Amino acid sequence: MSPSLRPRRSVLYMPGINLRALEKAKTLATDCVIFDLEDSVAPDEKEAARGQVVSALKTGGYGSRELIIRTNGLATPWGNDDVIAAIDAGADGILVPKVSSAEDIAAATKAMDDAGAPVAMTLWAMIETPLAILNIQEIAQTAQVPEARLTTWVLGTNDLAKETGAHLTEDRLPMLSWLSTCVAAASAYNLSLIDGVYNDFRNLDGFRNECTQGKSLGMDGKTLIHPGQIEPCNDIFSPDEDEIKQVREIIAAFDLPENSDKGVITLNGVMVERLHADMARRKLAIWQEIEKLSQGQVD
Ligand code: COA
Ligand code: MG
């Protein structure tokens, strides 16, 4: 499956040091797992966590879930060894924290290339600094060449709040413009965009509201911190019948011989552009993968 067609509705973080969580993930219906070596692991546990994560991935049992290792920053004492370990472990990709510029992407790609990462291994980037928001287009643009490996952004809303002083309110009004800016940039360059975590993990009503908001903004999925968040998240980020119908109509309309050379048409009284048809095809392909997952993933 092409990395850009992978379903990324639910993306569950787990601290690399938490053996119980590493084991439990094998039974959870999460589309992706992020094995965290960064913020959730204390400095004196970094090496132990790395070793555990490598051995969990090598032992396997995670089925079709996309497996991502969040490394420490490349400028830290652990970052480069984390990248090497992720390659050794056979992870599907790495997630690099605190990316703020196109150069940061280039450095991460180079670290992967230098360590002999296979061509299919992908790069994910945390968008969590004020500078990343200001430089969002140049960061997105790096994804134009597949050699950069960049497929996915993960929003670090806790870090953004901490760095800026913006409050983490239920309606997220203080950071709404940043969220939408990221959606625009990710869409322009075909990146998956995964929303930030919802900290109050026992509050499932609040969590559902934030998932719904993220979906309506255009996010592909949400990062999660607790297994209880997976089911509502998958539910909200799966397409409903109306969406599927609409997407099929757009594809069918552009497939008509009389529309074959048109850039824009009218469908049900609304203007639809060819770019909508391209997006519709991609969405449909991802939804077909979601369908396969729901039939085969949960143990
Ligand atoms: N991944 C996998 N399993 C998890 C999990 C996670 N992120 N969080 C909890 N679990 C498991 C627990 O091990 C426990 O399993 P068990 O009952 O089969 O033994 C079960 O889910 C219930 O956990 P619960 O007791 O409700 O939560 P907790 O108090 O153990 O943990 C947190 C709460 C927040 C500390 C924990 O969920 C966590 O560490 N989340 C991830 C944090 C993280 O990675 N942050 C970095 C990015 S922001
Ligand atoms: Mg962070």
Side-chain angles (χ1 to χ4, degrees):
M1 188 195 322
S2 148
S4 68
L5 296 184
R6 290 198 78 133
R8 295 180 177 124
R9 296 166 299 173
S10 47
V11 180
L12 178 66
Y13 279 110
M14 58 199 56
I17 199 66
N18 184 341
L19 273 179
R20 175 74 199 125
L22 300 189
E23 194 53 37
K24 197 171 172 82
K26 297 174 184 173
T27 67
L28 300 171
T30 185
D31 290 343
C32 318
V33 178
I34 298 178
F35 300 89
D36 187 26
L37 302 179
E38 198 222 7
D39 280 349
S40 70
V41 178
D44 58 358
E45 291 184 318
K46 294 283 189 197
E47 262 125 50
R50 186 195 294 139
Q52 283 184 185
V53 167
V54 170
S55 105
L57 265 84
K58 283 190 171 173
T59 308
Y62 293 97
S64 59
R65 297 165 188 83
E66 190 171 20
L67 306 178
I68 304 296
I69 296 182
R70 182 162 78 168
T71 68
N72 289 282
L74 292 174
T76 69
W78 310 285
N80 214 48
D81 288 343
D82 292 345
V83 175
I84 293 167
I87 294 166
D88 176 40
D92 291 308
I94 59 166
L95 169 59
V96 174
K98 301 187 175 66
V99 164
S100 289
S101 63
E103 289 86 66
D104 289 344
I105 296 290
T109 306
K110 183 172 185 312
M112 293 176 79
D113 291 344
D114 289 352
V119 173
M121 195 170 171
T122 59
L123 173 62
W124 292 26
M126 293 293 306
I127 301 297
E128 56 184 344
T129 65
L131 260 183
I133 302 295
L134 294 176
N135 293 334
I136 202 73
Q137 193 195 352
E138 68 161 60
I139 299 172
Q141 230 167 357
T142 63
Q144 267 175 331
V145 291
E147 294 75 29
R149 302 172 179 273
L150 184 64
T151 62
T152 307
W153 282 347
V154 175
L155 295 177
T157 38
N158 281 334
D159 272 88
L160 273 170
K162 191 179 89 190
E163 296 284 318
T164 58
H167 290 196
L168 283 169
T169 58
E170 283 287 302
D171 60 7
R172 296 202 288 179
L173 211 52
M175 52 177 68
L176 215 45
S177 65
W178 307 333
L179 303 181
S180 293
T181 300
C182 289
V183 170
S187 309
Y189 295 93
N190 242 346
L191 290 160
S192 298
L193 181 61
I194 317 298
D195 205 351
V197 299
Y198 186 76
N199 298 322
D200 185 9
F201 64 90
R202 307 257 183 236
N203 173 6
L204 287 182
D205 287 340
F207 174 71
R208 288 189 78 94
N209 287 340
E210 203 171 276
C211 285
T212 304
Q213 183 198 39
K215 181 172 178 181
S216 73
L217 288 171
M219 310 275 176
D220 296 293
K222 192 162 179 69
T223 39
L224 313 176
I225 50 175
H226 190 274
Q229 296 179 320
I230 296 171
E231 199 192 322
C233 181
N234 281 344
D235 179 30
I236 290 167
F237 281 99
S238 296
D240 59 36
E241 275 172 27
D242 282 350
E243 285 175 283
I244 294 177
K245 185 166 162 265
Q246 203 187 14
V247 155
R248 286 192 190 281
E249 278 178 0
I250 293 173
I251 295 171
F254 274 97
D255 282 347
L256 289 173
E258 62 265 37
N259 292 334
S260 65
D261 56 353
K262 293 206 179 126
V264 59
I265 59 170
T266 306
L267 181 65
N268 301 329
V270 177
M271 180 193 79
V272 184
E273 292 175 273
R274 184 162 292 278
L275 78 98
H276 293 120
D278 295 340
M279 282 163 57
R281 279 182 228 283
R282 177 164 175 253
K283 268 191 182 170
L284 193 61
I286 294 174
W287 293 342
Q288 282 161 348
E289 294 301 330
I290 289 174
E291 193 60 26
K292 282 190 218 158
L293 272 182
S294 63
Q295 283 160 9
Q297 179 183 292
V298 188
D299 300 329

